[in-house]
């Protein structure tokens, strides 16, 4: 399995793109502005999109991508997430006012996109790659994902602050090779991190102690312009783990 980082910033500006991770060439996790890195031909290959939540930085390019695919698609593109996220997409995005309801176009029998709500505990297997939602703790209903294939396991936290659930679920399972975890804010924004339910370096340091696995760790979702500071604070506070920064264009082989 190959994971290509299309976007991993907490915002935009210059080269920065928001969250979108491409698994092999047919599956996306989140659909932030990173999608703009895909060529039209690459976009045509995407058949499945798993969303962590409906904050704009994670769905910004979903409506535009679906629209671009409209003339090309032969089968519906599957949009999967927890039921609450699906309801938000229907009510607030694909509602004819913001964007057309592409789940009914060109026809309801064969639309360009189709929703599939997932429940916690469901395992969705696509060509040997299994996706499972992991409970996290963000200001709106949000999940992380654990993705397993024959050669390994990657987990992505989505947006979250301190929690037990994500770490407990990962610990219950036997393997974790790569962990992609958010750390949105610098240390002086600890209060804001708690309020908006993101990690800052000290909150992440406390939670990483809960993880029994020793995966490769990539930090993501830093606020634009704060990347160096956040990374150096994480390195000071998390001394027993090797940390790397996730970067746009990076390809991780699992
Ligand atoms: Zn969010
Ligand atoms: Zn976010």
């Amino acid at each position: 399995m190959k994971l290509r980082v299309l976007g991993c910033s907490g915002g935009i500006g210059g080269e920065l793109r928001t969250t979108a991770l491409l698994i092999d060439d047919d599956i996306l996790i989140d659909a932030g502005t990173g999608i703009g890195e895909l060529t039209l031909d690459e976009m045509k290959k995407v058949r499945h999109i798993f969303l962590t939540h409906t904050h704009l930085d994670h769905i910004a390019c979903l409506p535009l991508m679906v629209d671009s695919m409209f003339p090309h698609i032969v089968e519906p593109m599957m949009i999967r997430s927890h039921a609450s996220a699906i309801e938000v997409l229907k009510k607030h995005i694909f509602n004819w006012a913001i964007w057309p309801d592409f789940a009914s176009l060109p026809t309801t029998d064969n639309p360009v996109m189709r929703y599939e709500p997932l429940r916690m505990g469901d395992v969705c297997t696509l060509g040997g790659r299994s996706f499972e939602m992991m409970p996290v703790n963000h200001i709106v209903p949000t999940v992380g994902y654990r993705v397993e294939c024959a050669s390994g396991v990657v987990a992505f936290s989505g947006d979250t602050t301190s929690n037990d659930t994500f770490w407990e679920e990962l610990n219950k399972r036997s393997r974790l090779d790569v962990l992609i975890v958010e750390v949105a804010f610098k240390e002086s924004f600890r209060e804001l991190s708690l309020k908006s339910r993101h990690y800052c370096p000290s909150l992440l340091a406390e939670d990483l102690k809960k993880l029994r696995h020793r995966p490769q760790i990539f930090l993501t979702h830093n606020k634009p312009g704060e990347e160096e500071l956040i990374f150096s604070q994480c390195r000071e506070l998390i001394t027993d783990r090797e940390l790397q920064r996730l970067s746009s264009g990076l390809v991780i082989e699992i």
Side-chain angles (χ1 to χ4, degrees):
M1 178 168 67
K2 194 174 70 184
L3 184 152
R4 177 179 157 201
V5 181
L6 304 176
C8 60
S9 175
I12 59 168
E15 302 284 296
L16 299 177
R17 306 278 182 270
T18 70
T19 307
L21 307 173
L22 182 66
I23 306 275
D24 299 323
D25 58 1
D26 58 337
I27 302 173
L28 280 167
I29 300 180
D30 282 343
T33 66
I35 299 248
E37 294 292 305
L38 293 175
T39 64
L40 201 54
D41 282 337
E42 286 172 329
M43 249 184 251
K44 286 181 198 169
K45 293 179 185 161
V46 174
R47 310 303 313 133
H48 311 270
I49 303 180
F50 291 84
L51 297 173
T52 59
H53 65 308
T54 50
H55 274 159
L56 204 54
D57 54 324
H58 300 255
I59 63 158
C61 277
L62 175 64
L64 299 171
M65 175 162 112
V66 172
D67 188 30
S68 294
M69 289 302 94
F70 189 76
H72 304 290
I73 217 143
V74 282
E75 274 182 358
M77 188 182 286
M78 297 302 298
I79 315 292
R80 295 188 177 87
S81 192
H82 46 95
S84 142
I86 302 287
E87 286 313 305
V88 170
L89 290 177
K90 287 181 184 173
K91 189 173 172 192
H92 297 293
I93 303 289
F94 296 99
N95 60 3
W96 296 107
I98 296 293
W99 212 237
D101 174 17
F102 279 106
S104 66
L105 292 173
T107 65
T108 42
D109 290 341
N110 191 32
V112 66
M113 60 181 259
R114 187 167 274 156
Y115 301 110
E116 188 177 86
L118 300 175
R119 285 169 308 181
M120 211 55 80
D122 287 351
V123 178
C124 179
T125 301
L126 305 164
R129 299 147 302 175
S130 298
F131 290 74
E132 193 179 357
M133 296 193 301
M134 301 271 114
V136 297
N137 177 18
H138 192 38
I139 197 81
V140 297
T142 300
V143 295
Y145 284 98
R146 180 183 182 276
V147 187
E148 177 159 10
C149 66
S151 52
V153 175
V154 58
F156 171 47
S157 70
D159 287 7
T160 185
T161 189
S162 308
N163 69 88
D164 290 331
T165 50
F166 182 60
W167 309 106
E168 278 171 8
E169 289 302 316
L170 293 178
N171 285 342
K172 276 183 203 166
R173 292 154 182 80
S174 61
R175 186 166 181 179
L176 181 62
D177 300 282
V178 175
L179 170 68
I180 300 173
V181 63
E182 79 121 287
V183 51
F185 292 121
K186 59 188 170 187
E187 200 47 35
S188 58
F189 281 11
R190 186 179 158 110
E191 281 309 307
L192 178 64
S193 305
L194 289 165
K195 235 180 232 167
S196 60
R197 301 207 201 163
H198 283 288
Y199 279 127
C200 65
S202 61
L203 292 173
L204 177 61
E206 287 158 30
D207 267 20
L208 274 177
K209 289 181 192 147
K210 301 169 185 170
L211 182 66
R212 73 176 174 89
H213 301 289
R214 306 288 305 171
Q216 261 191 292
I217 299 177
F218 292 91
L219 305 178
T220 185
H221 206 292
N222 303 159
K223 282 293 158 195
E226 312 270 43
E227 298 87 352
E228 294 293 338
L229 178 60
I230 293 171
F231 191 58
S232 67
Q233 292 177 336
C234 285
R235 282 191 134 163
E236 267 171 42
L237 291 165
I238 304 162
T239 49
D240 60 335
R241 306 263 188 182
E242 202 163 308
L243 305 173
Q244 297 174 69
R245 267 170 56 181
L246 203 65
S247 56
S248 207
L250 182 72
V251 175
I252 303 171
E253 298 275 353
I254 296 144

